[in-house]
Amino acid sequence: MCLYSKWRNSVTDARVRVLSDYLPVPVPWSRFSAWLECVCVVTFDLELGQAIELVYPHDVKLTEKEKTSICYLSFPDSYSGCLGDTQFSFRLRQSVGRSSSWFGHEDAYNRDAPVTLQKEHAHFHGYVYFRQVKDASVKRGYFQKSLVVVSRLPFGNLFHSLLQVIAPEYFEKHEPCLETVCNEIDQWPAPVPGQTLNLPVMGVVMQVQIPPKNLLPAPTVLPSVHELDLFKCFQSVLIHMQMLWELMLLGEPVVVMAPSPTVSSETVLALVSAIAPLRYCGDYRPYFTIHDSEFKEYTTRTQAPPNVILGVTNPFFIKTFHCWPHIIRLGDLKMSGIYTAYKTFLHKDKSFIKRLLKGIQKKRPSEVQSAILRRHLLEQTESFILPLERYLESLMPPQRSMSPWKTPPQIRSFSQDEFMKTLEQAGPQLTLKGDWTGLYRRFFRSPNFDSWYRLRHREMTQKVECLHLEAICAADLLTWNKDKSEVEIVDLILKLREKLMKARKHQLPVKEELLEKLEQSIQTIISSLPEDLQTLLHRQ
């Protein structure tokens, strides 16, 4: 059946479908949910253990499994001995079937944000401010409570800064204070990459900027919403940076054994960021406990360890994870190190390590050391990705092959062997020596490559669609129309309308004037048809 016949029978259905796609849906707490999922208070109950005392906004629906995970992940292990105020973060898997409360705005944000800062679809990030102080009025002798910000956004710096402002006040004034804070957050502007955002809370204005896509690292004029002190995180294992970079690139299973949740979570997040602007696509848990719902899944010995980075503090894990291939132990500098049989594909950059070690001797500020380290890792990742990007460009169909009267040509398939041959002329532009070919072959088997390729292929497909649209807009549709039957003309109109709708719905990077020109051409073609067909087409 041709499109013309199908259309005759489904004009009403199509109209209803288009309206349902675009009608706005009123959502309570919509601005709040653009930043946060909820705020939780977790306390210690003598009979129940850790328990959620409060969730705000009150109508947020957390599953029992999510509540249990938040409870256990919001308190340090008793072995950590954390007295006073402690900040750390965790990441947990959302319950199956849960949908985002952010609706269509999520697509707009993720489209413009770097892949490393995109909103999560399947996990929550938890940012914790834990207080443990002596209190004679409490049976246990200690006041123990955590204020937890739950979000789908990986903005560690921003949310830890937010907690530093609101947590001390909350512990003094309790729920009314929290309600005020949440109402203030509900007035914040949407998180738009590339814009300077003023975020007022409790008399303080936090000024931040989310870096836009293709601009990493972020400008240093404003505080970063996400960047960690890399040098502080890696200082005890600096001589192993090349190995750590490769382990992250390849998505290898890694356990970080740390003395506290703060060190654990910061180190795991620093590892994940080590391959930016490439997105780390394995699972990662900045703070993991024996009570975690995935504990059995990640500690089974009947199969190889999964592609995950786990940050732990409980000594119990020393025995549990002794068979894992890569273990990073932190704490006492004499004991810190990496326990692994892994051999790096590339040689160490000794001059770079010497530069950082010399900075320690000269007492160079930590933020400067971090900037040097971040720049080095960024350049190494970009040099690794550049040959892949060049090869992908060669898979694109040439622009001259775009015909307005034919289906867009296909993108050629990725061939590992063909790519390897390109390395001789266009290999990584670094002085690092080693087995680059072996590293690429191992990378092709990793979840990071699979995710990167899927994203790039989707972007390339959109580019082909854009080029095809441009070819259609440049064509003389009215001349083509003169010797065609009504069925062929209506078929063309429906195809053009479908392309136009997809371009706007998926926000393809096509100039609006081109789309308007195409819309005018469609209207002109419709006006050349008999009145009964014009009436039907205008109703759609």
Side-chain angles (χ1 to χ4, degrees), residues 115-316:
V115 290
T116 54
L117 296 180
Q118 288 178 354
K119 209 169 196 195
E120 295 255 17
H121 291 283
H123 292 83
F124 287 133
H125 293 271
Y127 304 95
V128 182
Y129 193 107
F130 169 71
R131 174 169 288 185
Q132 178 172 261
V133 292
K134 288 185 178 181
D135 186 345
S137 66
V138 180
K139 284 185 180 180
R140 278 184 108 215
Y142 285 92
F143 171 92
Q144 294 174 307
K145 195 168 284 192
S146 287
L147 184 61
V148 187
V149 166
V150 180
S151 175
R152 297 172 190 264
L153 291 164
F155 293 172
N157 273 8
L158 172 62
F159 293 132
H160 281 309
S161 297
L162 173 66
L163 282 166
Q164 286 168 11
V165 174
I166 67 174
E169 282 288 311
Y170 169 74
F171 290 135
E172 294 295 326
K173 299 176 182 175
H174 307 295
E175 188 173 350
C177 165
L178 198 58
E179 184 176 358
T180 301
V181 166
C182 290
N183 279 302
E184 283 188 290
I185 294 172
D186 196 40
Q187 302 302 312
W188 284 4
V192 180
Q195 290 188 8
T196 298
L197 304 172
N198 292 319
L199 310 177
V201 62
M202 296 185 69
V204 175
V205 177
M206 298 185 293
Q207 191 176 68
V208 299
Q209 187 179 74
I210 304 165
K213 191 175 284 189
N214 302 323
L215 186 58
L216 280 170
T220 55
V221 179
L222 300 172
S224 164
V225 294
H226 65 290
E227 287 178 349
L228 293 152
D229 186 338
L230 286 189
F231 178 70
K232 184 181 77 172
C233 295
F234 292 137
Q235 184 170 357
S236 62
V237 289
L238 276 180
I239 60 172
H240 302 296
M241 279 312 305
Q242 181 59 42
M243 179 186 290
L244 293 175
W245 179 81
E246 288 189 20
L247 292 178
M248 294 303 101
L249 183 73
L250 303 176
E252 287 285 309
V254 174
V255 175
V256 176
M257 295 185 175
S260 71
T262 304
V263 175
S264 162
S265 58
E266 287 182 351
T267 304
V268 170
L269 294 174
L271 286 168
V272 168
S273 72
I275 57 172
L278 189 67
R279 182 178 189 172
Y280 176 84
C281 293
D283 196 0
Y284 61 95
R285 304 302 173 90
Y287 178 53
F288 188 78
T289 76
I290 59 174
H291 303 288
D292 198 286
S293 57
E294 279 82 49
F295 174 76
K296 289 183 179 178
E297 177 185 340
Y298 288 154
T299 56
T300 179
R301 298 186 185 181
T302 59
Q303 59 189 34
N307 301 103
V308 62
I309 311 171
L310 300 177
V312 301
T313 60
N314 193 327
F316 169 81

Side-chain angles (χ1 to χ4, degrees), residues 245 249 273-279 374-388 430 436 440:
W245 179 81
L249 183 73
S273 72
I275 57 172
L278 189 67
R279 182 178 189 172
R374 184 173 287 108
R375 173 56 60 184
H376 172 81
L377 294 171
L378 178 69
E379 289 176 353
Q380 188 160 299
T381 303
E382 288 180 334
S383 294
F384 179 82
I385 293 296
L386 187 59
L388 287 164
L430 279 181
W436 284 97
Y440 278 112

Side-chain angles (χ1 to χ4, degrees), residues 8 29 31 61 117 151 165 190 209 218 230 263 269 280 326 338 354 362 442 477 516 533:
R8 284 263 191 194
W29 293 97
R31 289 195 176 191
K61 305 297 182 185
L117 296 180
S151 175
V165 174
Q209 187 179 74
L230 286 189
V263 175
L269 294 174
Y280 176 84
H326 319 293
I338 303 177
K354 284 180 181 177
K362 291 186 172 183
R442 186 80 170 265
L477 297 176
E516 289 174 0
L533 277 180

Side-chain angles (χ1 to χ4, degrees), residues 491-507:
D491 209 39
L492 173 68
I493 290 169
L494 294 177
K495 284 178 179 177
L496 293 178
R497 277 185 168 174
E498 185 180 10
K499 272 195 168 293
L500 201 57
M501 188 179 75
K502 281 183 178 178
R504 287 196 163 122
K505 186 174 182 180
H506 300 297
Q507 296 184 308

Side-chain angles (χ1 to χ4, degrees), residues 514-533:
L514 279 179
L515 298 180
E516 289 174 0
K517 180 184 175 184
L518 180 58
E519 202 156 19
Q520 288 171 1
S521 297
I522 292 171
Q523 295 305 320
T524 305
I525 294 171
I526 290 174
S527 66
S528 69
L529 293 169
E531 286 188 10
D532 61 331
L533 277 180

